[in-house]
Amino acid sequence: MLAKVTSGATVGLDSIPVTVEVDISERGLPSFTIVGLPNKAVEESKERVRAAIKNSGADFPTHRITVNLAPADLPKEGPAYDLPIALGLLMASGQIKADLKDALVLGELSLDGSLRHTNGILPMVLLAKEKKKKKIFLPETDAKEAAIIEGIEIYPLKSLLALFNHLDGVEEITPQKHIGFESLAADFEAEFDMSEIKGQEHVKRALEIAAAGGHNVFMKGVPGAGKTMLARALPGILPDLTEEEALEVTKIYSITGNLPPGASVITQRPFCAPHHTTSRIGLIGGGTRPMPGEISLAHRGVLFLDEFPEFPRHVLEALRQPMEDGIIQISRAAGTVKYPAKFILIAAANPCPQGYTLLRN
């Protein structure tokens, strides 16, 4: 018997639909095969799904099982396919009868059948809304992140058994209520308040102009002059994030796993201060599996580079294109992805030896 469940895959900051097709054949030796360019995390889902189904009180089919993740030419990564694979197995084996054509399913399973936090929830919910899906099933811990999007029913799941009972009509799950952005966009306190900084009036004036116009700033001064404190005070005088900007930032933090636990959306301007030993990939993003770097994590916020002359030249040169275009394009053999990188750069440095001589004189 064949069953189909809709899930999604994240490419860059956007998601595309992935159809999880599960076929159970009584012919041939018992086996469990996943096809469709799965990576190691997806391959290992076979054992998680097997244990989760058994520990949830359901029967695991002892036949030839084939799972296809379509489209087959798109690499599949991460554990988010655990729940749709398990659900497809239960439907294909006849243990669950449900019509899920209007639903999107994702989530990582534990061996006991409970659902764990999964990265990239917000792009998936936006995908479900774009594809006219009416509901989405996801882990309970991620329900608040999904509830920021209006117009789709969010079903928070504690476990695979809870989904089984819901679809079987035994115990229905109450959809998560929509969370309005206005209720979250409250005032926040910056790490340092500009009004509490005494002196350095010319620097504070420069930072005010930078905040108003989105300009970059370079500060040079002796250690202890307050360069770092002034930089950390800058987010406190920046305009509040709009809802569109907040969703852009939240998508980046959701995909990278940096969204605070239980948070719904990022409501304050990011502040990133990478160490001067940060690599080029760590700063601009990339890697075998392309991921956003510090410049994308600082999107719509502040990127602070302390000890600026200590950064390698090739790392600083890599900032040229994203600072001009507001995006960073990463090209690898597997494909090309684009990440946003609109940030205010604040650089700080100590004087050179000759500068110290001039200061003493």
Side-chain angles (χ1 to χ4, degrees), residues 137-258:
F137 296 94
L138 43 72
E140 184 181 43
T141 55
D142 302 317
K144 288 185 178 180
E145 179 184 344
I148 195 68
I149 304 301
E150 194 174 10
I152 186 169
E153 293 182 353
I154 311 296
Y155 287 91
L157 303 174
K158 291 183 178 180
S159 63
L160 177 62
L161 180 60
L163 178 58
F164 189 105
N165 291 335
H166 172 78
L167 296 176
D168 209 30
V170 176
E171 185 179 354
E172 292 191 358
I173 300 172
T174 304
Q176 174 75 32
K177 293 182 179 179
H178 170 66
I179 300 175
F181 178 75
E182 296 78 11
S183 63
L184 298 173
D187 293 334
F188 73 96
E189 293 185 3
E191 184 177 1
F192 295 98
D193 194 304
M194 193 72 76
S195 65
E196 297 176 351
I197 300 177
K198 304 301 180 183
Q200 304 289 10
E201 299 299 330
H202 62 297
V203 184
K204 289 192 286 186
R205 175 60 176 164
L207 292 177
E208 290 171 1
I209 296 172
H215 306 299
N216 303 313
V217 177
F218 178 75
M219 296 185 290
K220 183 172 70 173
V222 297
K227 301 185 296 296
T228 300
M229 181 172 60
L230 285 161
R232 291 186 178 276
L234 180 59
I237 62 174
L238 290 174
D240 294 336
L241 285 172
T242 64
E243 183 173 359
E244 181 181 356
E245 291 174 339
L247 291 178
E248 287 179 6
V249 176
T250 304
K251 285 169 68 175
I252 299 171
Y253 277 70
S254 177
I255 289 171
T256 58
N258 290 313

Side-chain angles (χ1 to χ4, degrees), residues 7-20:
S7 188
T10 301
V11 179
L13 288 186
D14 299 315
S15 294
I16 62 174
V18 171
T19 302
V20 180

Side-chain angles (χ1 to χ4, degrees), residues 20-51:
V20 180
E21 303 174 331
V22 181
D23 177 71
I24 299 179
S25 175
E26 296 184 0
R27 296 183 179 181
L29 295 174
S31 62
F32 192 170
T33 306
I34 299 179
V35 297
L37 291 184
N39 73 343
K40 187 65 175 178
V42 181
E43 280 285 351
E44 291 177 346
S45 69
K46 292 186 290 188
E47 302 306 322
R48 292 193 296 271
V49 168
R50 189 194 309 272

